[in-house]
């Protein structure tokens, strides 16, 4: 099988015009948090572009969990922030619907879906290998690093895009990638934010912690994330 053509794009503007197989990356922290939510038994995640839309959707389903951030902080009326650590500390998520809004990742996925991307996957380091496996058979893959707020480059997303590219093409992992992320501007922002749990950084850097990918699609007009497992993907999850 020929190697797919990889197209690298960034930010919300990069999600505009997406077509074909598309991977949207938000490593710090949206799609790391989403993966941890799925691991805790969440049924599916509904993605929104605005806080008000998230509140409206959660209000229509009293059993749903409202999750996300605005400027990195959990809104006071949300149940969960955009935090893997917070997710692991909460009970009773099994079978629940989560409504999620973040400043970059959820917006970029919705934009990619609206633009015609299909299939679209939400990705981070913790599901890098399974995401690469999901798109490896596509002739062309667009990888979008959603960035900080969707408007400025985030080194951790660009590095994750590089890792997933290497995995798709069957190349060896860069042994210094995690060190670069750990010493980068994104990691520094997490460490310096008093409202962010310091362990979130550790949780987000656990490459291939989970063996599923997160596929996005419209379900009744709602952008939704659901886990797709290796047996369905039909490929190796690792390198």
């Amino acid at each position: 099988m020929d190697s797919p053509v990889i197209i690298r794009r960034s930010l919300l503007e990069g999600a505009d015009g997406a077509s074909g197989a598309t991977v949207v990356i938000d490593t710090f922290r949206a799609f790391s948090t989403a993966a941890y939510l799925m691991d805790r038994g969440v049924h599916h995640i509904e993605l929104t572009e605005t806080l008000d839309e998230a509140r409206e959707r959660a209000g229509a389903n009293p059993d749903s969990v409202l999750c996300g951030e605005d400027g990195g902080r959990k809104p006071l009326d949300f149940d969960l922030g955009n935090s893997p650590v917070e997710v692991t500390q909460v009970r009773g998520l099994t079978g629940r619907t989560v409504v999620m809004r973040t400043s970059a990742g959820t917006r970029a996925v919705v934009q990619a879906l609206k633009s015609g991307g299909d299939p679209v996957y939400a990705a981070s380091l913790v599901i890098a290998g399974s995401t690469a496996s999901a798109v490896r058979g596509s002739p062309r893959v667009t990888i979008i690093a959603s960035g900080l707020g969707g408007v400025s480059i985030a080194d951790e997303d660009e590095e994750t895009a590089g890792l997933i590219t290497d995995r798709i093409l069957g190349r060896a992992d860069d042994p210094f990638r995690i060190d670069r992320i750990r010493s980068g501007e994104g990691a520094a922002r997490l460490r310096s934010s008093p409202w962010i749990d310091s362990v979130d950084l550790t949780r987000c850097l656990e490459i291939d912690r989970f063996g599923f990918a997160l596929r996005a699609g419209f379900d009744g007009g709602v952008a939704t994330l659901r886990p797709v497992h290796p047996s369905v993907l039909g490929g190796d999850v690792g390198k």
Side-chain angles (χ1 to χ4, degrees):
M1 180 184 298
D2 292 336
S3 296
V5 174
I6 308 294
I7 300 167
R8 294 274 300 271
R9 305 182 71 177
S10 301
L11 313 180
L12 289 173
E13 64 183 14
D16 188 20
S19 63
T22 303
V23 175
V24 179
I25 296 168
D26 190 332
T27 293
F28 293 166
R29 294 165 287 160
F31 300 142
S32 298
T33 299
Y36 279 86
L37 283 165
M38 291 301 186
D39 183 62
R40 296 300 303 278
V42 165
H43 185 266
H44 69 276
I45 300 173
E46 297 180 358
L47 306 179
T48 73
E49 295 181 279
T50 69
L51 295 170
D52 286 343
E53 181 188 357
R55 293 179 177 114
E56 182 179 349
R57 293 214 58 78
N61 179 4
D63 191 49
S64 64
V65 178
L66 189 53
C67 172
E69 51 80 20
D70 183 32
R73 300 192 187 207
K74 179 177 74 172
L76 293 177
D77 58 336
F78 276 40
D79 302 304
L80 290 173
N82 185 31
S83 166
V85 171
E86 191 174 348
V87 167
T88 63
Q89 295 172 343
V90 172
R91 297 178 181 272
L93 291 174
T94 301
R96 304 280 294 278
T97 295
V98 171
V99 180
M100 187 178 198
R101 186 272 177 188
T102 66
S103 299
T106 66
R107 297 166 65 201
V109 165
V110 173
Q111 183 59 57
L113 289 169
K114 287 180 177 178
S115 296
D118 183 29
V120 174
Y121 291 89
S124 62
L125 288 174
V126 299
I127 49 175
S130 49
T131 305
S133 179
V135 298
R136 190 172 288 126
S138 303
R140 186 185 73 169
V141 180
T142 300
I143 301 179
I144 302 163
S146 63
L148 181 61
V151 296
S152 59
I153 296 295
D155 60 275
E156 69 277 4
D157 290 344
E158 300 295 334
E159 290 283 3
T160 302
L163 173 62
I164 292 175
T165 296
D166 287 344
R167 292 288 182 85
I168 293 171
L169 298 177
R171 299 191 299 225
D173 288 353
D174 182 339
F176 303 107
R177 192 180 303 279
I178 288 297
D179 289 338
R180 289 197 300 271
I181 297 174
R182 192 177 284 115
S183 61
E185 293 182 2
R189 280 194 299 271
L190 291 189
R191 294 191 191 96
S192 64
S193 299
W195 58 86
I196 294 178
D197 192 307
S198 60
V199 183
D200 268 352
L201 177 59
T202 301
R203 295 289 180 262
C204 290
L205 294 179
E206 296 180 8
I207 297 176
D208 297 337
R209 179 183 175 100
F210 305 116
F212 53 80
L214 294 176
R215 182 163 179 174
F218 281 123
D219 185 356
V222 179
T224 304
L225 284 184
R226 299 181 189 274
V228 181
H229 294 272
S231 59
V232 177
L233 301 176
D236 295 331
V237 172
K239 295 183 266 186

